[in-house]
Amino acid sequence: MTPAPVRQRSLASRIWSHALDSVFPPHCVSCRAFGRFVCGDCLVRMVRAEHPRCGVCWQPSADSRCQHCRHLQPAFTAVRSVYAFGGPARDLVHALKYSGLSAVAPLMGEEMAGLLLGWKPGVSAIVPVPMAGARRRRRGYNQSELLAREIGRCTGVPVAGRAIVRRVGPSQVEQPDEAARRANAKDAFAAGRGPVGGSFLLVDDTMTTGATLDACARVLKSVGAERVYGLTFARES
Ligand SMILES: [Zn+2]
Ligand SMILES: [Zn+2]
C-alpha cells in the first residue's frame, strides 16, 4: 500500500452534508448536545485501544502474542482497533448499526483510515465483513461496507465489496458465548467475487471475540490470499 494523505471529501459531498446539517443539525450520539455527532466533551472520553496489547488479536496483553492466539492460531496475521468499546465509541457504533445514522460513517472511517496509514500492513484491497441479506434490506446498508468505502476514499486502497458473501443463518449477536460464536461463524461465510492472491484488510465496526474476522480470513485464504489483516472501529475488552 502506498501511504497517502487522508483525502478530503468532495466539494459536492461537503455542500450536501452542510445542507443536511442546516435542516437536521447533528447532535452528539452520546450526550445529545447539538452541534456535532460527537461533542468535544465526549470525544475526550473515548478510550483509544493502545498498548500493551497482543500484536495479533489486539486484546490487552503483556505478551506480544497472547495465550488465546497461541492456542487458537487465528487465520489473520494481525488485527487493530481504534477504540476500546464503551462510552461514546459504543454509542457511535450503535448509532450506525441500530439507529440508521449512516452519516456517522465518514467520521468513523476517517479515524480507521488514520490508524491504517500509521500501521501500514501492506494490503492490496479492503474487504468489508458482509451481513445477511435480510438484515441488510431492513437496515438499508451494511455498516462495514460504509466504513470500508470511507477508508478506501481516504487511503486510495480499492474496496473489494463482494469478495466474501454471507450465507443465510443465525446472526453472531444471537450466540451466547465464544464457542457458539466460533461454531456459528465457521459456516457463515463463503468466497464471492473478487481478487485472488495478495494481502487483504477485513473491515468491521467492532471486534468481539475475533471469531467473525477469523472465519472471513479463512475464506480469503482458501481462495489464495497470502495474508489477511483486520481493522475495526472498536474492540470489546
Ligand atoms: Zn457529547
Ligand atoms: Zn492475541
Side-chain angles (χ1 to χ4, degrees):
M1 189 183 78
T2 309
V6 173
R7 289 181 195 163
Q8 290 294 318
R9 269 178 285 165
S10 72
L11 182 63
S13 154
R14 278 181 285 144
I15 289 171
W16 175 241
S17 53
H18 184 72
L20 282 180
D21 288 353
S22 45
V23 184
F24 306 106
H27 58 256
C28 175
V29 295
S30 203
C31 73
R32 318 299 289 173
F34 276 102
R36 282 186 284 172
F37 288 123
V38 181
C39 74
D41 289 348
C42 290
L43 194 62
V44 297
R45 290 198 292 120
M46 289 171 66
V47 179
R48 291 191 81 90
E50 285 175 340
H51 279 299
R53 285 176 177 264
C54 168
V56 179
C57 74
W58 208 233
Q59 73 165 326
S61 166
D63 295 332
S64 58
R65 192 179 182 91
C66 74
Q67 283 221 329
H68 197 256
C69 287
R70 279 202 290 261
H71 172 62
L72 287 171
Q73 302 198 327
F76 48 75
T77 300
V79 175
R80 294 290 181 271
S81 307
V82 186
Y83 290 104
F85 190 78
R90 179 199 53 219
D91 296 332
L92 267 173
V93 169
H94 284 185
L96 180 65
K97 277 175 92 163
Y98 306 123
S99 307
L101 195 64
S102 58
V104 297
L107 180 81
M108 297 167 73
E110 282 174 18
E111 293 266 4
M112 296 166 79
L115 188 155
L116 183 64
L117 290 169
W119 179 23
K120 300 189 184 78
V123 290
S124 46
I126 300 170
V127 179
V129 169
M131 89 195 252
R135 276 195 299 144
R136 189 196 165 108
R137 280 191 293 280
R138 270 201 305 278
R139 193 172 301 168
Y141 58 84
N142 171 4
Q143 73 281 353
S144 304
E145 193 173 339
L146 294 190
L147 296 174
R149 302 233 170 259
E150 286 299 327
I151 299 165
R153 181 181 59 75
C154 293
T155 61
V157 181
V159 177
R162 306 215 164 190
I164 305 177
V165 293
R166 184 85 157 83
R167 292 199 176 112
V168 178
S171 97
Q172 281 292 78
V173 289
E174 292 164 21
Q175 307 309 311
D177 55 32
E178 180 173 353
R181 289 180 81 96
R182 289 199 177 276
N184 186 57
K186 201 165 155 278
D187 299 316
F189 304 99
R193 281 181 287 137
V196 172
S199 292
F200 297 93
L201 181 76
L202 287 164
V203 163
D204 206 354
D205 54 273
T206 308
M207 176 168 169
T208 303
T209 62
T212 297
L213 291 175
D214 184 37
C216 289
R218 279 179 207 286
V219 168
L220 290 175
K221 285 195 148 178
S222 75
V223 291
E226 286 152 28
R227 283 164 182 253
V228 182
Y229 297 87
L231 175 61
T232 71
F233 179 76
R235 197 195 192 293
E236 292 194 26
S237 84

